[in-house]
Amino acid sequence: MATQADQQAQSGTGHQEVNHKSLLQSDALYQYILETSVYPREPEPMRELREITANHPWNLMCTPADEGQFLNMLLKLINAKNTMEIGVYTGYSLLATALALPDDGKILAMDINRENYELGLPVIEKAGLAHKIDFREGPALPVLDQMIEDGKFHGTFDFIFVDADKDNYLNYHKRLIELVKVGGLIGYDNTLWNGAVVAPPDAPMRKYVRYYRPFVLELNKALAADPRIEICQLPVGDGITLCRRIS
């Protein structure tokens, strides 16, 4: 039976469509990574949710499978227990996180669209992971401001993943740096932004890529200059920048 990857290859879509976020120049090389290292080890709930999301009209928003695998291993390596996710969509990266956390681990998950989250919720519930997730519908900034005002959440998060409105990434960072613990990690997704960060300003771009490009450039510049963090920008998916809080 043909795999989803085989069907994509035959249709000529490759990773420009569902998995377009890879910055590898060869579709065949990216497909090799997926078929050899990612799909064979992908937990069944993640495979199921990935295939559900592939049929959604906004499937380009889904975290790529190789990035989901990376996040899952990273969380295990740092022994994360208390985490946050801003921007959930159908919950693929959320599920990768929930699978990595211990049974008493917690994820504060925020998104402006509960309907998308509920597409993936049955898979999360079937996997027995729903008890780890505190989902909040609505903008994240007011929630973060309230947490900071309360005072008891400062330095309490082991890991925070941000994959939401790029024009607010710096606003998130100003708050999240107070909430993540010293030695903890913040991951900002899409920091290579379809390669647009190095494209000439007059290069052909999709409208949304052009609109958010200045915000991504501003974020990257600010993170590189922030003395409170160590950073590592990785060409996984559409680019993910890991920030380790050091002070």
Side-chain angles (χ1 to χ4, degrees), residues 1-21:
M1 183 176 179
T3 65
Q4 182 189 33
D6 292 333
Q7 293 166 357
Q8 288 174 349
Q10 291 166 9
S11 67
T13 59
H15 68 254
Q16 285 89 350
E17 298 301 328
V18 175
N19 296 310
H20 81 292
K21 295 179 181 179

Side-chain angles (χ1 to χ4, degrees), residues 112-127:
I112 59 172
N113 190 321
R114 187 179 189 94
E115 183 178 350
N116 290 334
Y117 168 64
E118 288 181 346
L119 282 175
L121 185 56
V123 178
I124 293 170
E125 291 175 335
K126 185 168 66 172

Side-chain angles (χ1 to χ4, degrees), residues 134-145:
D134 175 11
F135 181 83
R136 312 274 185 94
E137 182 180 23
L141 288 174
V143 177
L144 300 178
D145 285 338

Side-chain angles (χ1 to χ4, degrees), residues 179-242:
L179 298 174
V180 71
K181 72 179 186 181
V182 173
L185 294 176
I186 306 172
Y188 291 102
D189 203 19
N190 307 112
T191 58
L192 294 178
W193 201 228
N194 286 247
V197 290
V198 294
D202 58 349
M205 298 178 197
R206 294 181 182 181
K207 186 176 180 180
Y208 78 92
V209 173
R210 183 176 301 281
Y211 175 78
Y212 287 114
R213 178 178 178 271
F215 298 105
V216 177
L217 288 169
E218 184 182 18
L219 171 77
N220 291 339
K221 184 177 180 180
L223 295 181
D226 190 337
R228 300 168 296 179
I229 56 175
E230 296 173 330
I231 67 170
C232 180
Q233 190 171 29
L234 301 169
V236 176
D238 192 29
I240 178 171
T241 300
L242 298 178

Side-chain angles (χ1 to χ4, degrees), residues 139-186:
L141 288 174
V143 177
L144 300 178
D145 285 338
Q146 185 60 55
M147 294 174 73
I148 290 171
E149 184 179 338
D150 287 348
K152 60 184 179 181
F153 298 101
H154 285 237
T156 60
F157 287 88
D158 304 309
F159 180 77
I160 301 171
F161 184 59
V162 185
D163 183 9
D165 43 334
K166 317 308 170 194
D167 46 344
N168 267 318
Y169 267 28
L170 270 180
N171 289 324
Y172 292 138
H173 186 67
K174 291 172 184 176
R175 294 156 173 82
L176 298 179
I177 196 66
E178 297 190 39
L179 298 174
V180 71
K181 72 179 186 181
V182 173
L185 294 176
I186 306 172

